[in-house]
Amino acid sequence: WCKLSLERRPQWTADIQARIGNAQRGLGEFAVAEQTLLGALRLRPENLRTQIFLMNLAEEDYRKRGDRAGAERLLGGNP
């Protein structure tokens, strides 16, 4: 039933994926979170929640760790 629901509502897949990516970020799994969030963004580029989660990943995690190139890559800037 759950799989069928996701097939009928693809926007749910992106939302769930974004939440999973944000949880991964919270657990410190930055590389995994990045891939999960980028996957969610590919499914629904207009999803503001996913965009915010990616900004949080860049701002809170990458910049605080000194990885400016990683932060700029996620934010769409030049590394």
Side-chain angles (χ1 to χ4, degrees), residues 3-11:
K3 185 177 179 182
L4 183 60
S5 295
L6 291 175
E7 289 173 2
R8 291 183 178 174
R9 305 261 187 198
Q11 69 272 20

Side-chain angles (χ1 to χ4, degrees), residues 1-73:
W1 182 85
C2 292
K3 185 177 179 182
L4 183 60
S5 295
L6 291 175
E7 289 173 2
R8 291 183 178 174
R9 305 261 187 198
Q11 69 272 20
W12 290 358
T13 302
D15 290 340
I16 291 168
Q17 210 171 351
R19 290 173 189 262
I20 290 169
N22 194 49
Q24 291 165 330
R25 181 191 62 79
L27 292 170
E29 299 175 2
F30 306 124
V32 176
E34 178 179 341
Q35 293 308 307
T36 303
L37 290 169
L38 290 174
L41 193 63
R42 280 190 292 276
L43 291 173
R44 287 192 64 211
E46 75 284 357
N47 188 325
L48 184 59
R49 177 174 298 162
T50 304
Q51 294 171 14
I52 290 170
F53 289 163
L54 276 168
M55 285 189 330
N56 289 343
L57 181 63
E59 294 283 338
E60 296 170 15
D61 301 324
Y62 282 113
R63 287 201 177 146
K64 285 182 180 177
R65 293 181 351 189
D67 184 0
R68 184 178 176 132
E72 289 177 345
R73 185 184 69 253

